[in-house]
Amino acid sequence: MIVDEKPEMESFWVISAVNAIKAISYLYDLLTFPVYLVLQRPWEKRKASRRIKARPITKDEQSITYRSVDPPREMHITLERENIDTLEKVMGWITKKHGEKKCVGTREILAEEDEVQSNGRIFKKYKMGEYKWKNYNDMDRLTTSFGRGLKEYNLTMQKNIVIFAETREEWMIAAYGCFKQNMTVVTIYATLGEEAIAHGINETEVNTVITSHNLLPKFKRLLNVLPNVKTIIYMEDQLVPTDTKGYKADVRLLPFSDILQTGNSSAASLSSPKSSDTAIIMYTSGSTGVPKGVLLSHTNVISVMKSFCDVVEIKSDDVFLAFLPLAHVFELLAESVCLLSGVPIGYSSPLTMIDSSSKIQRGSKGDASVLRPTCVTSVPLILDRICKGINEKVKKSGPLSRTIFRFAYEYKLKWYKRGYDTPACNKYVFGAARQVLGGKVRLILCGGAPLTPDTQTQVKMCLCATLTQGYGLTETTSCATVMDKHDRSTGRVGGPTTICDIRLENWEEAGYRVTDTPYPRGEILIGGANVSAGYYKLPDKTKEDFFYEDGKQWFRTGDIGEIHEDGCIKIIDRKKDLVKLQLGEYVSLGKVEAELKTCPVVENICVYGDSHKSYTVALVVPNQYYLEQIANDLGITGKNLEELCDNPDIEKAVLQELVEQAKKCNLQRFEIPGAVKLCAEQWSPDMGLVTAAFKLKRKAVQERYQHEINRMYAS
């Protein structure tokens, strides 16, 4: 159900109106059913959803290996025929193919103005214009100019170069400019803490860092611990000149535009990479320990671009909204596939993306409303927030609107499961929800973490879009499995892509075996052209996690999966998240968190299990709106968030909410937290409690809240 609320007493006229709607819908179904049966052909959709996606190629008592049954599609075949095996060749080929088509676009910021809020406070807001576009010829010229500019400034002597910047078109221009000089791009998340940033820069021994106007000030402190860095190239701001005072005297600061201008009038030579050369050292955000640099070759990246073209349906009029971190391999690959397919990329940020974003003036349009994209990438955290936002809006509406919305949701879900679409509901009930992302989104690609079935269903129903979930890791260039576009199931991540094999191996300790029924279960191993050569300067860790067999590089993921009859995988556990409680039961902390995160009051959650105790406990960052509702129900008013979080009665009420949600999700008794602590502070990468991709850093959370954990167990 879309809104998890207790039924309320509704007035007679509301009940009468709903009964009338049900009668009308019954009559509507009766009249339109033959038409929809012929036009929508639901039996074909159900058959396509059930089709076999992969079959086993080897099997024994210890392991089973699956391979996709799908052949490569046209783009995959074309890239192989044309011998496009490096990212430099990609840029040359797409320029010839797409030429004057729109390539990358950035929205113009006209001014920053004061806006008075209802409470009298003043916030700075952007006055924004339209998107300004560069075509493929422009992109090729700019990347060439950037590569030549680096050479003119003697910045190509070092193989590695760092890009430490937010997602924007200059990021891609810089990266592809570096590829044209056979330089290795080191990517570091813009949201990492200073220690992790310094680690990545120092470990790769770079002397040049490419950053942005907003992030440059970090280097006033960082340069003291970055002895090798002698040049910083900064991407300028649209409105404000960059302050370059106060930096180490022996470090040269160069505007991004200067590199382009110098390169534009240069005839300096370019240096073409080989397919086996390392294109990217991508630092994983690291849920444990310091970030690890993953070596990704041109072969790795190109192979995944081919596989994505095999599974994702690209249309000639598609438009892509880019806002996830380009330092994340998932976003980098998605945007590279857009370039390959001639799909315009419009850049955005969380500050300006939707009409209600923090930097958008009241009454003005966010980037999505102006761009009207058809495709976006997302991570589960963002989709969870969208769903909670929809639920919040529904709850605030009147009884009639609320009841109609619930009825429409259940009505659409019923017909969707039978293979039908509901155009009337899409237009008249869910139209407003679709407008949040511009109203034209047809495809959402989701990766980075497990997506709960409830969120997956709600996004598909309310946003009326195809939600394609995939599974991969930085070590496998973001690729392993992708859901088939016809797959109507939830909770699964699809079958193997066309460029890799998926193997399950027994994990005896937790009782996962490939001989299990009804489905084989075990640790997921991935082998293929997408698998990294290993970790940068970490030979022992590389030897532990990677191996070469049967002409393929393989990676041990640490994730536990089960494979269904059609060859699709469901992630069911993770080695590092498993804890054994006092009475011998194993609890998958990640699984419990994923289920409890669907509870409306939960913004974020970390479940902890002590092996000397018989139950788990939970640290919860609450959703303020729902927490205040609970407080009101208890007669508690006039308290701020910190005071609400410290109130034992509210803690008890939230724990009861979690228990009820856990029972709905069929969690076992020993998996349900026995105590809860509410945390008023939002967990952010800057605090070091979540990664840049907002995955929990479990050890860091435990250390920060050890006193509260002890208190929960003592109580």
Side-chain angles (χ1 to χ4, degrees):
M1 185 65 182
I2 182 170
V3 181
D4 188 15
E5 304 291 342
K6 296 181 178 67
E8 55 190 54
M9 292 298 293
E10 293 168 335
S11 62
F12 174 76
W13 65 271
V14 171
I15 295 172
S16 300
V18 171
N19 287 334
I21 290 168
K22 288 181 179 178
I24 292 168
S25 73
Y26 179 76
L27 184 61
Y28 175 83
D29 290 343
L30 221 60
L31 295 173
T32 60
F33 181 77
V35 178
Y36 284 156
L37 184 68
V38 173
L39 294 179
Q40 296 190 7
R41 305 173 76 83
W43 63 91
E44 292 183 354
K45 294 177 184 176
R46 294 195 298 267
K47 183 180 178 182
S49 179
R50 294 192 302 265
R51 80 175 184 91
I52 300 297
K53 286 86 172 177
R55 296 185 189 278
I57 56 170
T58 63
K59 183 179 181 180
D60 56 36
E61 293 292 308
Q62 300 300 316
S63 68
I64 184 169
T65 304
Y66 274 74
R67 181 173 293 170
S68 171
V69 299
D70 295 331
R73 289 169 61 180
E74 184 182 355
M75 181 64 79
H76 187 147
I77 295 167
T78 300
L79 292 175
E80 292 197 348
R81 186 178 61 238
E82 300 285 335
N83 193 31
I84 309 299
D85 58 1
T86 68
L87 290 162
E88 181 223 19
K89 288 182 181 178
V90 165
M91 183 54 66
W93 187 72
I94 62 177
T95 302
K96 290 177 185 174
K97 184 177 174 64
H98 303 302
E100 295 297 319
K101 277 192 74 174
K102 287 179 180 178
C103 183
V104 294
T106 299
R107 200 169 171 200
E108 192 175 13
I109 302 174
L110 303 174
E112 189 176 42
E113 300 175 348
D114 291 339
E115 182 180 278
V116 182
Q117 307 303 300
S118 56
N119 59 8
R121 296 177 66 186
I122 296 174
F123 290 139
K124 295 283 186 184
K125 302 280 186 173
Y126 286 145
K127 180 180 180 182
M128 303 195 73
E130 297 298 315
Y131 270 87
K132 301 293 182 183
W133 292 93
K134 294 176 176 65
N135 62 34
Y136 279 81
N137 290 330
D138 295 331
M139 187 70 170
D140 184 52
R141 177 180 54 79
L142 288 167
T143 55
T144 299
S145 294
F146 192 82
R148 285 181 169 150
L150 292 176
K151 189 144 194 170
E152 290 288 352
Y153 278 99
N154 294 317
L155 300 177
T156 57
M157 307 299 288
Q158 198 87 356
K159 176 75 171 171
N160 299 336
I161 187 167
V162 162
I163 300 183
F164 173 67
E166 310 93 341
T167 295
R168 49 195 288 174
E169 67 179 49
E170 292 93 340
W171 202 108
M172 290 293 271
I173 290 168
Y176 275 82
C178 292
F179 297 146
K180 289 189 174 186
Q181 289 291 10
N182 194 16
M183 299 180 76
T184 299
V185 172
V186 180
T187 68
I188 297 177
Y189 282 103
T191 50
L192 282 181
E194 291 188 2
E195 185 181 345
I197 296 166
H199 168 75
I201 293 173
N202 285 330
E203 186 172 72
T204 51
E205 302 175 60
V206 301
N207 57 20
T208 303
V209 173
I210 303 167
T211 189
S212 67
H213 169 90
N214 291 333
L215 294 174
L216 180 62
K218 284 181 176 281
F219 288 91
K220 286 184 178 179
R221 294 185 303 275
L222 275 170
L223 284 171
N224 295 321
V225 292
L226 302 175
N228 297 322
V229 175
K230 299 302 175 190
T231 304
I232 297 178
I233 300 167
Y234 60 89
M235 305 166 186
E236 298 100 317
D237 187 73
Q238 287 195 45
L239 297 177
V240 185
T242 303
D243 181 8
T244 56
K245 298 184 182 70
Y247 295 85
K248 277 178 70 176
D250 63 339
V251 175
R252 179 173 51 167
L253 271 62
L254 299 172
F256 194 86
S257 58
D258 281 11
I259 305 294
L260 291 175
Q261 191 174 347
T262 301
N264 196 40
S265 57
S266 167
S269 62
L270 300 172
S271 179
S272 298
K274 300 190 297 292
S275 60
S276 58
D277 288 333
T278 301
I280 303 162
I281 300 175
M282 184 159 281
Y283 274 84
T284 62
S285 45
S287 54
T288 57
V290 295
K292 301 185 290 289
V294 179
L295 299 166
L296 300 177
S297 68
H298 287 270
T299 293
N300 292 148
V301 178
I302 299 295
S303 70
V304 172
M305 290 168 70
K306 292 173 183 173
S307 74
F308 280 9
C309 289
D310 288 338
V311 292
V312 178
E313 184 182 13
I314 306 291
K315 297 187 176 180
S316 59
D317 59 349
D318 275 332
V319 178
F320 183 81
L321 178 71
F323 69 96
L324 290 183
L326 268 165
H328 192 301
V329 67
F330 176 49
E331 179 70 12
L332 179 58
L333 263 296
E335 291 189 29
S336 294
V337 170
C338 287
L339 294 178
L340 198 64
S341 307
V343 173
I345 302 170
Y347 285 92
S348 180
S349 84
L351 299 177
T352 61
M353 189 168 71
I354 60 175
D355 296 353
S356 58
S357 291
S358 60
K359 276 290 190 177
I360 295 295
Q361 285 182 331
R362 195 182 300 115
S364 299
K365 290 186 175 181
D367 299 336
S369 296
V370 173
L371 185 68
R372 305 199 72 196
T374 59
C375 307
V376 296
T377 49
S378 187
V379 291
L381 178 72
I382 292 171
L383 297 180
D384 286 340
R385 285 178 177 172
I386 288 174
C387 289
K388 284 178 180 176
I390 293 171
N391 289 348
E392 206 169 299
K393 198 167 183 179
V394 170
K395 189 179 180 186
K396 287 178 181 177
S397 64
L400 180 60
S401 298
R402 195 157 55 236
T403 308
I404 289 172
F405 198 92
R406 289 183 191 144
F407 170 77
Y409 185 88
E410 294 297 334
Y411 175 84
K412 179 175 179 179
L413 184 58
K414 175 184 72 176
W415 285 107
Y416 175 82
K417 288 177 178 177
R418 296 173 182 175
Y420 292 89
D421 196 9
T422 54
C425 283
N426 295 349
K427 183 175 181 180
Y428 297 110
V429 180
F430 303 115
R434 294 195 71 195
Q435 291 303 319
V436 171
L437 293 175
K440 293 182 70 176
V441 169
R442 66 168 188 86
L443 176 64
I444 301 171
L445 302 171
C446 184
L451 181 67
T452 63
D454 283 351
T455 298
Q456 191 175 353
T457 301
Q458 189 172 339
V459 168
K460 287 198 287 190
M461 295 301 104
C462 296
L463 299 187
C464 310
T466 299
L467 177 56
T468 298
Q469 189 175 189
Y471 166 71
L473 306 95
T474 306
E475 290 86 347
T476 64
T477 326
S478 83
C479 175
T481 70
V482 179
M483 282 183 70
D484 184 83
K485 65 180 179 181
H486 301 295
D487 192 343
R488 303 170 79 80
S489 65
T490 58
R492 309 193 303 170
V493 293
T497 60
T498 52
I499 50 114
C500 68
D501 293 339
I502 301 292
R503 178 181 297 171
L504 296 188
E505 275 191 0
N506 290 349
W507 185 27
E508 299 290 351
E509 182 184 350
Y512 293 117
R513 300 179 184 87
V514 296
T515 53
D516 289 345
T517 56
Y519 307 121
R521 303 187 301 171
E523 181 183 1
I524 299 170
L525 281 66
I526 301 163
N530 56 320
V531 179
S532 162
Y535 298 116
Y536 187 70
K537 292 186 177 179
L538 292 172
D540 292 341
K541 186 63 177 168
T542 297
K543 191 174 180 180
E544 179 185 337
D545 292 346
F546 295 85
F547 65 95
Y548 193 81
E549 182 182 290
D550 299 331
K552 287 187 179 72
Q553 179 79 338
W554 289 82
F555 176 67
R556 302 180 187 277
T557 67
D559 291 317
I560 309 301
E562 65 181 26
I563 295 191
H564 295 175
E565 299 101 324
D566 60 355
C568 286
I569 289 180
K570 181 177 183 180
I571 309 297
I572 58 172
D573 214 332
R574 177 154 178 80
K575 276 186 170 183
K576 292 178 183 176
D577 284 349
L578 204 67
V579 62
K580 189 177 184 180
L581 298 180
Q582 187 181 37
L583 301 179
E585 304 102 333
Y586 281 99
V587 177
S588 171
L589 302 177
K591 184 191 85 170
V592 175
E593 287 159 357
E595 298 290 6
L596 296 184
K597 206 175 279 187
T598 60
C599 183
V601 76
V602 175
E603 192 73 30
N604 209 341
I605 184 169
C606 178
V607 177
Y608 177 81
D610 187 330
S611 58
H612 300 293
K613 305 291 182 181
S614 59
Y615 61 95
T616 63
V617 295
L619 297 157
V620 172
V621 178
N623 178 292
Q624 188 167 352
Y625 171 79
Y626 283 102
L627 195 70
E628 288 171 352
Q629 291 292 113
I630 289 172
N632 288 336
D633 292 344
L634 294 172
I636 301 169
T637 58
K639 305 290 185 183
N640 62 32
L641 181 61
E642 288 77 10
E643 290 169 326
L644 293 177
C645 288
D646 289 337
N647 188 299
D649 292 331
I650 291 177
E651 269 188 0
K652 193 180 295 183
V654 170
L655 178 60
Q656 189 56 40
E657 294 277 333
L658 293 184
V659 170
E660 289 176 12
Q661 186 68 21
K663 289 176 179 175
K664 287 178 188 174
C665 297
N666 298 316
L667 292 182
Q668 299 296 316
R669 178 194 53 77
F670 57 83
E671 293 177 309
I672 301 173
V676 67
K677 163 62 184 170
L678 300 178
C679 307
E681 53 191 358
Q682 287 288 332
W683 298 342
S684 67
D686 290 341
M687 292 173 65
L689 301 182
V690 293
T691 71
F694 287 90
K695 295 178 185 175
L696 277 180
K697 299 183 82 168
R698 198 174 296 282
K699 187 69 175 173
V701 173
Q702 178 194 339
E703 289 172 355
R704 187 179 184 93
Y705 294 101
Q706 189 62 59
H707 177 73
E708 285 80 2
I709 291 170
N710 294 342
R711 182 183 66 80
M712 283 189 281
Y713 274 123
S715 66

